[in-house]
Amino acid sequence: MKRPRIISIICIIGYLAVLITFPQVFSPPIKKLGMFMPALFGILISAQFIACVGVWYYKQWGVQMYLLAFFAKTIFFLTTQQTGFSFYFGGLISLVSIILLLRHYPKMNPNL
């Protein structure tokens, strides 16, 4: 089945978001949060990238992982009290993406 154009746009935005967010793993504000926080943040960013790959290939597990990554990142930012403009803007973009992905979810391939 051919991937809808909106799914391709969501994936490209997701890839760009990962490229922009990944350098923050090594930033001083993340390092100040604790010893394991950069590693945890890096895992969350990697999960977001892997989810975008799954969505790109039109797989249901990609949407499921996208949801998990979104909620895990939200919990991470709320517990570390890093709620700035980028948190709200990224959350809004992610919520719109999730709604669009869930509309196409039944048509996606359930196999790995």
Side-chain angles (χ1 to χ4, degrees), residues 6-49:
I6 190 72
I7 300 295
S8 299
I9 292 169
I10 289 171
C11 290
I12 291 169
I13 291 171
Y15 292 140
L16 291 174
V18 168
L19 282 174
I20 292 169
T21 309
F22 187 72
Q24 291 178 355
V25 172
F26 306 105
S27 68
I30 297 293
K31 288 181 181 179
K32 287 181 186 177
L33 295 174
M35 181 185 279
F36 296 107
M37 288 301 173
L40 180 62
F41 190 58
I43 289 169
L44 294 175
I45 300 302
S46 300
Q48 182 180 359
F49 174 75

Side-chain angles (χ1 to χ4, degrees), residues 77-97:
F77 285 130
L78 289 175
T79 56
T80 58
Q81 298 169 349
Q82 294 185 347
T83 55
F85 173 75
S86 61
F87 170 75
Y88 293 111
F89 184 70
L92 180 66
I93 298 252
S94 293
L95 285 175
V96 170
S97 299

Side-chain angles (χ1 to χ4, degrees), residues 38-112:
L40 180 62
F41 190 58
I43 289 169
L44 294 175
I45 300 302
S46 300
Q48 182 180 359
F49 174 75
I50 294 168
C52 286
V53 170
V55 170
W56 181 264
Y57 285 108
Y58 214 55
K59 302 287 186 174
Q60 287 183 350
W61 64 263
V63 176
Q64 295 165 0
M65 192 167 196
Y66 194 89
L67 279 167
L68 287 173
F70 168 72
F71 287 118
K73 279 179 62 177
T74 302
I75 291 169
F76 177 83
F77 285 130
L78 289 175
T79 56
T80 58
Q81 298 169 349
Q82 294 185 347
T83 55
F85 173 75
S86 61
F87 170 75
Y88 293 111
F89 184 70
L92 180 66
I93 298 252
S94 293
L95 285 175
V96 170
S97 299
I98 287 169
I99 291 168
L100 293 171
L101 289 173
L102 289 177
R103 288 183 62 204
H104 292 281
Y105 183 79
K107 296 179 243 171
M108 291 182 174
N109 188 353
N111 300 327
L112 292 177

